[in-house]
Amino acid sequence: MKENMTMIKKYPSKVSYGLLIFIFLVFYGPLIPNLINGDLSGKMIGLIGFLSLIFAFILHLFFGTHYTIENNKLKIKCGFFSYKPIKIDEIKEVSKTKNIISSPAPSFDRVEIKYGKFDEIIISPKDKLNFANDLAIINPNIKNNITE
């Protein structure tokens, strides 16, 4: 039953703050001894500025990630990047996963979507249950393994 073909729902991504703290410490941790010793040379300030730009880009990716269900398509946006829309009619299965492969999922609380012939993508919607249920409303053939 495809009565909700014009449904538009946007799901923000869940964000693992522990991962962000880890990245912050990797970026800035090695600089702490230099800062404690008062080494604020031009090179150090330039390095801090450069690392801050990269970290700001990472923050934008983390907090700019969302998933939109629109017109029988799942649209995935990760910061400045947009993925090719997935036809919801081609989705076969939605399941929780612990896979840490690189993906548009800034959290370790992830969902794997299998679609097409052999395709899959890992995402991390904040509200996994309603997200999976909304997909199943459009395509009742989806094997929905998200129960909580």
Side-chain angles (χ1 to χ4, degrees):
M1 188 180 268
K2 296 181 184 176
E3 58 200 43
N4 279 338
M5 290 289 285
T6 58
M7 170 175 42
I8 298 175
K9 275 197 150 177
K10 187 174 180 179
Y11 290 87
S13 180
K14 189 171 187 176
V15 173
S16 289
Y17 290 97
L19 180 57
L20 269 180
I21 291 168
F22 174 76
I23 293 169
F24 180 86
L25 291 174
V26 166
F27 272 48
Y28 297 104
L31 303 178
I32 292 172
N34 293 338
L35 295 174
I36 290 172
N37 293 331
D39 179 19
L40 276 176
S41 65
K43 285 184 179 181
M44 180 61 67
I45 292 170
L47 179 61
I48 290 171
F50 177 71
L51 291 176
S52 296
L53 284 173
I54 294 172
F55 192 70
F57 176 73
I58 291 169
L59 285 173
H60 180 68
L61 291 178
F62 268 58
F63 293 103
T65 298
H66 62 271
Y67 319 105
T68 305
I69 296 172
E70 179 180 350
N71 298 329
N72 194 34
K73 290 191 175 144
L74 172 60
K75 297 180 178 182
I76 300 169
K77 184 131 171 94
C78 182
F80 303 109
F81 307 105
S82 292
Y83 286 69
K84 181 181 175 187
I86 298 168
K87 293 178 183 173
I88 296 173
D89 286 342
E90 294 181 4
I91 296 176
K92 296 175 184 162
E93 186 175 354
V94 179
S95 307
K96 290 182 185 179
T97 185
K98 298 289 182 191
N99 192 331
I100 59 169
I101 193 168
S102 179
S103 64
S107 171
F108 292 123
D109 187 11
R110 296 171 157 206
V111 170
E112 179 180 52
I113 296 176
K114 294 182 180 178
Y115 64 99
K117 201 165 188 171
F118 301 110
D119 296 313
E120 56 187 46
I121 192 161
I122 296 173
I123 61 174
S124 60
K126 240 184 221 184
D127 186 355
K128 294 184 299 291
L129 183 60
N130 282 325
F131 174 80
N133 287 339
D134 284 344
L135 290 175
I137 287 170
I138 296 170
N139 179 0
N141 296 320
I142 293 173
K143 183 178 178 189
N144 182 357
N145 297 318
I146 309 291
T147 57
E148 54 179 275

